[in-house]
Amino acid sequence: MQILRHVLVPVEAAVYGVSYAFLQNIIRSPTPLDPEWTWHAVTKDMPRGTDWIRMGWPLKPLRPLVIRAKMRQDHVLGISAHYDVSNDFYKLFLDKKYMFYSCADFKPGDTLEQAQQNKADFILNLIDPQPGEKIMELGCGWGSMLRRIEEATGEKDNLYGLTLSREQKAYNDQDNRFHVDFDNFITREYEPEKFDKIYSIGAWEHVRQDEIPQLLRKLHRALKPGGRLVKHFFLRANDDVIGPVACSQIYFPGSMGASYRFHSKAWEDAGFRIAHCSVHDYRPTLRAWFDRLVQHKEEALKLVNVQTYNRYLTFFPASWRYFNDRYGVVTRWVLEKQHP
Ligand SMILES: C[S@@+](CC[C@H](N)C(=O)[O-])C[C@H]1O[C@@H](n2cnc3c(N)ncnc32)[C@H](O)[C@@H]1O
């Protein structure tokens, strides 16, 4: 098995690039990775030649083939592979109060808990929920933002969520008691003009470019006139980045987000008016999750196998690097459906 692990390096490097092969090789290590070594190895600056190979291979004409092969992976299974690890495992590194699995707003000296509270308050302000309004979250995770809205309005009955993780659905049913369906928000049919607000936090990244226009039209129809779509997600700064796209398939098989240019045009084509757009920094959250996972290594290894632990230990620095190199950017948007 260990020989196979090393034999795969040149094969995967030739097909998917050097970064992909390197990450897969260390994830397959039979022992838990050393945290300091891992953070440094994944985030360090490369000599110029190595970086040129890292970013230049596969060559441009081959890139569509690589992406097409990876996009054959089932999107639904890919979501489940990432989120159905174990709720107790996620509890080890997410913030204690809400269990947000999305970028927080750190101010100097903030704990992860405070930073997630800051983010929840910021997004609450964008959603601006009013008592009696019907509100739906696309990709609701462990119900974190639904709980923040319930705190603000004192209401639960009009709050709805969708997830593709059975573990999250069970958690929401048992612990939160929100109306959460196990359903794909991309293929779902929505009742016309049912919702006052629809929002999504850290889930739009999973929507492929060719799925976006039709989904936006469905969401536009599902909103009441004057309703709003609020989104927090990271988008690709650029249309042509193969290395990070291939690496992201290790963590989110079958998912591939779109670029800033594509999104801003798509909102307007679907009939929305852009009322807010802001940019946020994911790096401190990724570092905080990494540190907490390392702190709880022994408990983590009782819940998941070594390769899963290693996958998360590389996921946080690999994502940190993605944002640090400015391949991706976290954005928040308010999109309004105009009155006729
Ligand atoms: C990174 S988590 C974010 C969860 C939560 N919004 C938060 O901020 O903590 C992404 C969520 O999106 C959900 N998701 C992704 N694609 C989906 C789809 N097509 N349909 C339904 N849920 C989806 C996942 O199941 C997961 O709950």
Side-chain angles (χ1 to χ4, degrees):
M1 181 62 193
Q2 284 312 299
I3 295 177
L4 179 65
R5 173 185 162 209
H6 297 301
V7 169
L8 280 172
V9 173
V11 178
E12 291 186 323
V15 181
Y16 301 119
V18 186
S19 304
Y20 180 97
F22 170 71
L23 287 169
Q24 288 285 40
N25 181 258
I26 62 173
I27 288 169
R28 291 180 190 128
S29 157
T31 52
L33 294 171
D34 176 73
E36 252 176 66
W37 177 86
T38 305
W39 187 274
H40 178 70
V42 178
T43 62
K44 73 177 176 202
D45 285 336
M46 306 275 175
R48 204 180 268 182
T50 316
D51 215 38
W52 186 80
I53 296 172
R54 186 173 77 88
M55 295 315 294
W57 185 264
L59 297 173
K60 240 181 178 180
L62 299 175
R63 294 174 191 185
L65 298 177
V66 174
I67 304 271
R68 214 172 302 145
K70 284 291 182 190
M71 287 306 119
R72 288 225 178 93
Q73 298 176 105
D74 186 317
H75 182 248
V76 176
L77 291 181
I79 299 290
S80 172
H82 190 95
Y83 296 103
D84 286 338
V85 172
S86 139
N87 286 344
D88 287 338
F89 173 71
Y90 278 99
K91 277 184 195 160
L92 296 178
F93 61 88
L94 298 183
D95 65 294
K96 302 252 170 299
K97 181 172 176 190
Y98 293 113
M99 281 186 82
F100 269 113
Y101 192 33
S102 46
C103 164
D105 290 352
F106 275 86
K107 292 202 278 291
D110 276 349
T111 59
L112 178 60
E113 278 67 26
Q114 183 57 54
Q116 289 294 14
Q117 184 74 53
N118 300 341
K119 180 269 288 290
D121 293 350
F122 189 110
I123 294 180
L124 184 77
N125 211 20
L126 299 183
I127 300 172
D128 190 24
Q130 301 299 321
E133 285 187 338
K134 279 199 169 23
I135 302 178
M136 161 162 278
E137 176 165 4
L138 312 175
C140 64
W142 290 274
S144 325
M145 193 64 208
L146 292 171
R147 284 177 49 210
R148 182 66 191 93
I149 295 173
E150 185 193 359
E151 282 172 1
T153 60
E155 289 185 358
K156 176 171 243 161
D157 285 352
N158 287 328
L159 302 182
Y160 301 83
L162 298 173
T163 178
L164 276 179
S165 152
R166 292 199 185 278
E167 292 251 353
Q168 292 175 344
K169 157 86 175 133
Y171 182 90
N172 278 302
D173 287 351
Q174 284 148 28
D175 294 46
N176 290 332
R177 298 176 191 277
F178 292 120
H179 306 288
V180 169
D181 284 345
F182 176 87
D183 197 7
N184 187 339
F185 66 70
I186 302 170
T187 51
R188 186 182 175 95
E189 291 304 326
Y190 301 86
E191 241 179 79
E193 302 194 359
K194 174 166 178 178
F195 294 103
D196 298 275
K197 314 275 166 67
I198 299 177
Y199 70 93
S200 138
I201 306 173
W204 200 260
E205 293 84 344
H206 296 297
V207 186
R208 297 177 187 175
Q209 188 160 302
D210 57 351
E211 296 166 330
I212 291 174
Q214 200 200 356
L215 176 56
L216 281 173
R217 281 195 294 275
K218 286 203 277 186
L219 297 177
H220 191 270
R221 249 195 328 268
L223 281 166
K224 295 178 186 170
R228 59 174 72 167
L229 179 61
V230 175
K231 295 148 90 39
H232 160 124
F233 70 105
F234 65 83
L235 36 74
R236 281 187 289 134
N238 177 325
D239 280 313
D240 181 39
V241 183
I242 182 68
V245 170
C247 293
S248 74
Q249 298 303 309
I250 299 172
Y251 308 106
F252 296 107
S255 286
M256 184 178 161
S259 69
Y260 177 87
R261 212 166 25 153
F262 184 89
H263 277 112
S264 34
K265 183 168 181 310
W267 311 143
E268 290 183 336
D269 287 351
F272 287 106
R273 187 184 80 86
I274 300 173
H276 170 94
C277 174
S278 51
V279 167
H280 304 266
D281 185 359
Y282 215 145
R283 291 171 302 173
T285 312
L286 294 162
R287 184 68 218 206
W289 288 337
F290 178 87
D291 289 342
R292 288 211 176 169
L293 180 57
V294 170
Q295 215 180 323
H296 294 288
K297 173 183 158 191
E298 299 308 327
E299 293 144 274
L301 287 167
K302 287 186 189 136
L303 295 166
V304 299
N305 63 27
V306 172
Q307 281 71 36
T308 303
Y309 172 80
N310 287 345
R311 186 151 45 87
Y312 280 78
L313 213 69
T314 59
F315 173 50
F316 300 134
S319 306
W320 188 96
R321 178 168 201 144
Y322 176 74
F323 292 107
N324 199 52
D325 289 350
R326 298 180 193 280
Y327 292 129
V329 54
V330 176
T331 55
R332 290 184 193 147
W333 303 77
V334 176
L335 308 168
E336 287 179 346
K337 173 171 175 170
Q338 308 292 78
H339 286 278

